[in-house]
């Protein structure tokens, strides 16, 4: 009896596993055609200067409008794109699309000018031999000022494949493009990479920001990260600011910039356009 039970459980497990694998496989097939079918779009989240509350830039964030499943967030498909290599064309599409949109916003002289466009780079893109040339071509084709383009990488990306990463990041810097370290504090316990790489901006992971309200030690950790970035002459952006208290604390700690639901969720391009039109013009 027990044996039969065990066996049927194995069959059940097997069926569930099979279904999960089939679903994953189907999603990857769907993703293969998603770019051509125009199912991928970018949302943009404002980056705000904490001392003034002004929106100074945006981060481009991928969304997938799946015909059957509706909107899928990056955490559900980026890993598939990464494993299949699809992230390379998708990532370059995102980069070029974001540059064109950014330039369209900048062309509106009657509105506050955005100063920075931030785009996430994947590990596969950073490892791609075509990265630097493609990036150069996108800058040429779109006409974006490379000093206003910032590429976000994560700690794990620079740790794995250290030498390649260093060469690639150096070449990106030579194009005049800025580099940010995303999700700072979550990836790797060593800080030694900070002086090996030409990084302009440090993005404090939202787990530190959200922990600040739990106690003074957490505030001290954020203070230390902000001081570290100042010592290294890096800009610092706090991610995931959800409350007015978090925004105020970070501003008082000397944090330059912030991003988070307190200011705005990621929005469609037309919504950003409307938002820009609601902002007071300041020069
Ligand atoms: P990320 O680069 O760290 O982006 C910030 C994420 O935090 C975004 O999630 C954003 O919607 C979310 N977020 C912003 N403010 C808040 C807040 O106040 N509270 C909370 N709880 N979350 C907030 P999203 O858009 O789902 O993207 C997740 C991750 O997917 C990104 O993390 C990034 O690593 C990756 N990703 C997104 N777009 C791209 C892309 O074009 N290329 C690559 N390679 N990765 C991307
Ligand atoms: Mg990012
Ligand atoms: Mg990230
Ligand atoms: Mg992040």
């Amino acid at each position: 009896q027990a044996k039969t039970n065990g066996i049927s459980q194995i069959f059940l497990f097997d069926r569930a596993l099979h279904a999960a694998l089939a679903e994953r496989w189907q999603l990857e097939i769907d993703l293969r055609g998603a770019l051509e079918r125009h199912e991928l779009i970018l949302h943009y989240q404002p980056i705000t200067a904490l001392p003034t509350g002004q929106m100074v830039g945006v981060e481009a964030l991928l969304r997938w409008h799946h015909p059957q499943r509706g909107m899928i967030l990056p955490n559900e498909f980026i890993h598939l794109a990464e494993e299949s290599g699809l992230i390379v064309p998708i990532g370059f599409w995102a980069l070029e699309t974001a540059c064109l949109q950014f330039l369209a916003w900048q062309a509106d002289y009657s509105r506050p000018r955005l100063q920075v466009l931030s785009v996430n780079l994947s590990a596969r893109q950073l490892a791609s031999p075509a990265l630097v040339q493609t990036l150069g071509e996108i800058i040429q084709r779109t006409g974006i000022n490379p000093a206003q383009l910032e590429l976000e990488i994560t700690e794990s990306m620079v740790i794995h494949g250290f030498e390649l990463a260093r060469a690639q990041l150096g070449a990106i810097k030579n194009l005049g493009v800025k580099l940010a370290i995303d999700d700072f504090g979550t990836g790797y316990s060593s800080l030694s990479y900070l002086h090996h790489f030409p990084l302009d901006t440090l993005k404090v992971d939202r787990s530190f920001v959200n922990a600040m309200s739990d106690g003074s030690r957490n505030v001290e950790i954020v203070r230390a990260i902000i001081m570290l970035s100042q010592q290294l002459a890096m800009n610092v952006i706090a991610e995931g600011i959800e409350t007015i208290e978090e925004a105020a604390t970070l501003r008082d700690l000397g944090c330059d910039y912030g991003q988070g639901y307190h200011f705005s969720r990621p929005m469609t391009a037309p919504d950003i356009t409307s938002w820009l039109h609601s902002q007071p013009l300041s020069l």
Side-chain angles (χ1 to χ4, degrees):
Q1 184 64 39
K3 227 174 208 161
T4 12
N5 246 341
I7 285 168
S8 61
Q9 258 164 14
I10 287 170
F11 276 123
L12 269 181
F13 174 73
D14 188 53
R15 222 184 291 161
L17 185 70
H18 186 264
L21 285 173
E23 184 179 318
R24 195 194 148 92
W25 187 58
Q26 185 59 49
L27 205 60
E28 193 184 313
I29 291 174
D30 292 350
L31 189 58
R32 247 166 234 292
L35 252 189
E36 289 76 52
R37 290 192 299 269
H38 304 287
E39 292 168 5
L40 295 176
I41 64 157
L42 291 173
H43 283 192
Y44 299 86
Q45 186 175 37
I47 299 170
T48 304
L50 292 179
T52 62
Q54 276 250 326
M55 166 156 119
V56 294
V58 288
E59 176 177 3
L61 295 160
L62 263 177
R63 300 289 180 261
W64 181 10
H65 284 286
H66 191 284
Q68 281 86 44
R69 293 159 183 253
M71 185 158 96
I72 307 184
L73 290 169
N75 290 341
E76 294 179 60
F77 69 89
I78 287 279
H79 62 284
L80 282 179
E82 186 80 28
E83 286 158 24
S84 59
L86 284 168
I87 192 66
V88 177
I90 290 174
F92 288 136
W93 168 84
L95 190 57
E96 180 146 13
T97 303
C99 287
L100 291 171
Q101 181 59 66
F102 182 73
L103 286 165
W105 284 321
Q106 280 197 324
D108 187 351
Y109 279 92
S110 67
R111 293 296 132 198
R113 314 291 308 279
L114 296 177
Q115 290 148 41
V116 57
L117 169 67
S118 219
V119 181
N120 293 281
L121 213 62
S122 78
R124 280 289 273 268
Q125 273 180 296
L126 188 62
S128 163
L131 172 66
V132 177
Q133 196 193 332
T134 307
L135 184 57
E137 286 167 4
I138 289 173
I139 293 167
Q140 284 282 320
R141 266 204 303 275
T142 62
I144 192 167
N145 175 356
Q148 297 189 318
L149 175 62
E150 189 153 76
L151 298 181
E152 299 189 3
I153 57 169
T154 58
E155 292 170 308
S156 60
M157 284 163 61
V158 298
I159 300 311
H160 307 148
F162 190 88
E163 285 311 320
L164 176 66
R166 189 142 72 148
Q168 293 274 68
L169 297 179
I172 292 172
K173 287 300 296 177
N174 284 339
L175 292 172
V177 172
K178 298 274 169 41
L179 290 169
I181 193 88
D182 203 356
D183 308 334
F184 179 81
T186 59
Y188 196 70
S189 55
S190 166
L191 296 176
S192 68
Y193 71 89
L194 280 176
H195 66 255
H196 287 293
F197 294 98
L199 302 165
D200 303 279
T201 300
L202 187 156
K203 299 190 78 168
V204 185
D205 189 71
R206 73 163 183 264
S207 56
F208 296 104
V209 171
N210 302 150
M212 287 194 309
S213 56
D214 300 343
S216 59
R217 292 197 70 188
N218 295 323
V219 176
E220 291 314 315
I221 292 172
V222 174
R223 187 199 304 276
I225 297 175
I226 292 167
M227 285 172 64
L228 174 71
S229 60
Q230 286 166 347
Q231 291 299 315
L232 295 170
M234 294 170 74
N235 291 317
V236 56
I237 305 179
E239 300 192 87
I241 301 175
E242 293 184 355
T243 66
I244 193 167
E245 289 81 14
E246 287 168 349
T249 305
L250 287 159
R251 189 195 53 221
D252 294 347
L253 291 173
C255 185
D256 309 311
Y257 304 101
Q259 251 180 284
Y261 297 165
H262 167 64
F263 299 107
S264 168
R265 289 182 175 258
M267 293 186 273
T268 63
D271 283 349
I272 291 279
T273 306
S274 310
W275 173 289
L276 278 172
H277 279 241
S278 72
Q279 297 293 296
L281 183 59
S282 80
L283 294 171

